[in-house]
Amino acid sequence: MTSPKLAHQTNSGRMYSRQVGGPGIVPSITTVIGMDALDLSGWAGYMAAKALSEDPQLSQAVNDPRQMRSLVRAASGAAEVYRDHAAARGDRVHNYAEAYALRELGLEHDLLAARSALEENHELGYLQHFETWWAEYQVEPLAAEVSVWNETVGYAGTIDLVAKIGGRVCIVDYKTKTSDREGIVKRPDDKVIMQLAAACKAEEQIVDAERGLWKPWEYGTDAMLLAVALGDTGTRTFMAPPAALPDYWAKFFVLKRNWEVTNKIAQSRASLSEITPPTQ
């Protein structure tokens, strides 16, 4: 996950400050959506079994309980390893997309370093298909990696890209995805609709993070909300259905309330208190 200047990780999740160095005041959009957690135990078990079955030392360890336990322990963390590698890859792809947009906007960037990071990890396919997407959709960037704030509900987030595409203002969220067995880039989870709905409901956007200067959010009205799946075999672009946005926004609002209550309970350390029998 990329790290915007105003965001930092806490025990309550990712929190946003009003300016660099300030206290975390509101949770991030992704932290709120994370309250709607998926049960990934089945996937984690599959990844562990897969890692164990593919371990070249497995045949030697079958009759050696001690060695087998060692292989099992190593395989048990396969899901976490995969997740961490995927997150790091996503950061590299997002960093390149951000630098590319900044260059197009005539702003300071480090596109060369972002490209080098992808090249070092044999991930130039993502770069090539991203640039093809940019050209085919005739992207006209308006802002990149812009942090936004909603004081009324109490959350903040960072939008990957605001751009004009086909004459329409679009709020774009990139999702780095792998490809299926046929080489087709996998589609993003529909939770991205909730993420985009919350983004377009922002009230302010950052002007200067160091000084904590904000201005009214300019792009939430009538923007097209797009999720772009960036893969090493191609890209796919999806539009959030306008008719569904009120329901996704309502769900986000409920999850925000859930986060508030959960955080309050955690801070109060409220737990069961043991009592003794009543006295005679």
Side-chain angles (χ1 to χ4, degrees), residues 119-193:
E119 188 171 11
E120 289 170 6
N121 288 276
H122 310 289
E123 295 164 343
L124 287 180
Y126 292 93
L127 175 158
Q128 293 161 358
H129 292 295
F130 165 76
E131 292 186 355
T132 297
W133 170 81
W134 188 282
E136 288 180 346
Y137 280 79
Q138 302 175 38
V139 177
E140 301 175 40
L142 300 172
E145 288 292 312
V146 55
S147 290
V148 296
W149 194 284
N150 183 306
E151 182 67 26
T152 302
V153 179
Y155 67 87
T158 298
I159 296 170
D160 291 337
L161 178 70
V162 181
K164 276 192 175 182
I165 299 176
R168 287 283 303 276
V169 172
C170 299
I171 295 174
V172 180
D173 190 82
Y174 302 126
K175 297 297 180 188
T176 305
K177 306 298 291 185
T178 56
S179 302
D180 63 19
R181 293 177 180 178
E182 284 71 43
I184 299 173
V185 177
K186 296 177 181 177
R187 60 182 294 128
D189 190 287
D190 280 340
K191 280 187 179 181
V192 72
I193 302 174

Side-chain angles (χ1 to χ4, degrees), residues 31-272:
T31 291
V32 173
I33 294 175
M35 299 303 296
D36 188 25
L38 293 175
D39 181 6
L40 298 176
S41 57
W43 173 75
Y46 166 78
M47 292 298 292
K50 182 174 182 291
L52 182 61
S53 68
E54 294 175 350
D55 195 309
Q57 301 180 64
L58 180 60
S59 59
Q60 302 173 7
V62 169
N63 297 315
D64 185 342
R66 184 174 180 179
Q67 188 177 2
M68 179 61 77
R69 283 195 297 271
S70 178
L71 295 187
V72 169
R73 281 196 299 273
S76 65
E80 287 76 14
V81 171
Y82 180 88
R83 178 201 61 201
D84 292 345
H85 285 172
R89 180 177 62 243
D91 284 352
R92 290 189 290 270
V93 174
H94 273 73
N95 289 340
Y96 184 82
E98 177 189 0
Y100 192 93
L102 290 174
R103 187 193 69 176
E104 296 300 298
L105 287 164
L107 300 175
E108 183 179 351
H109 64 85
D110 199 345
L111 191 65
L112 182 59
R115 178 189 175 91
S116 296
L118 290 173
E119 188 171 11
E120 289 170 6
N121 288 276
H122 310 289
E123 295 164 343
L124 287 180
Y126 292 93
L127 175 158
Q128 293 161 358
H129 292 295
F130 165 76
E131 292 186 355
T132 297
W133 170 81
W134 188 282
E136 288 180 346
Y137 280 79
Q138 302 175 38
V139 177
E140 301 175 40
L142 300 172
E145 288 292 312
V146 55
S147 290
V148 296
W149 194 284
N150 183 306
E151 182 67 26
T152 302
V153 179
Y155 67 87
T158 298
I159 296 170
D160 291 337
L161 178 70
V162 181
K164 276 192 175 182
I165 299 176
R168 287 283 303 276
V169 172
C170 299
I171 295 174
V172 180
D173 190 82
Y174 302 126
K175 297 297 180 188
T176 305
K177 306 298 291 185
T178 56
S179 302
D180 63 19
R181 293 177 180 178
E182 284 71 43
I184 299 173
V185 177
K186 296 177 181 177
R187 60 182 294 128
D189 190 287
D190 280 340
K191 280 187 179 181
V192 72
I193 302 174
M194 193 173 358
Q195 187 174 347
L196 289 164
C200 75
K201 288 285 188 178
E203 297 170 344
E204 296 176 279
Q205 65 186 78
I206 193 64
V207 175
D208 188 322
E210 297 291 340
R211 293 190 292 166
L213 297 180
W214 298 75
K215 67 178 181 179
W217 174 230
E218 300 176 8
Y219 305 110
T221 304
D222 197 36
M224 184 182 298
L225 308 183
L226 302 180
V228 180
L230 303 176
D232 62 351
T233 60
T235 64
R236 298 173 69 186
T237 303
F238 300 83
M239 182 184 74
L245 293 179
D247 291 332
Y248 276 95
W249 169 247
K251 183 173 183 178
F252 180 85
F253 191 91
V254 171
L255 290 174
K256 172 55 171 51
R257 178 57 180 160
N258 187 1
W259 178 88
E260 290 173 355
V261 174
T262 301
N263 190 47
K264 185 177 180 180
I265 291 172
Q267 290 181 344
S268 67
R269 300 183 182 275
S271 60
L272 290 170

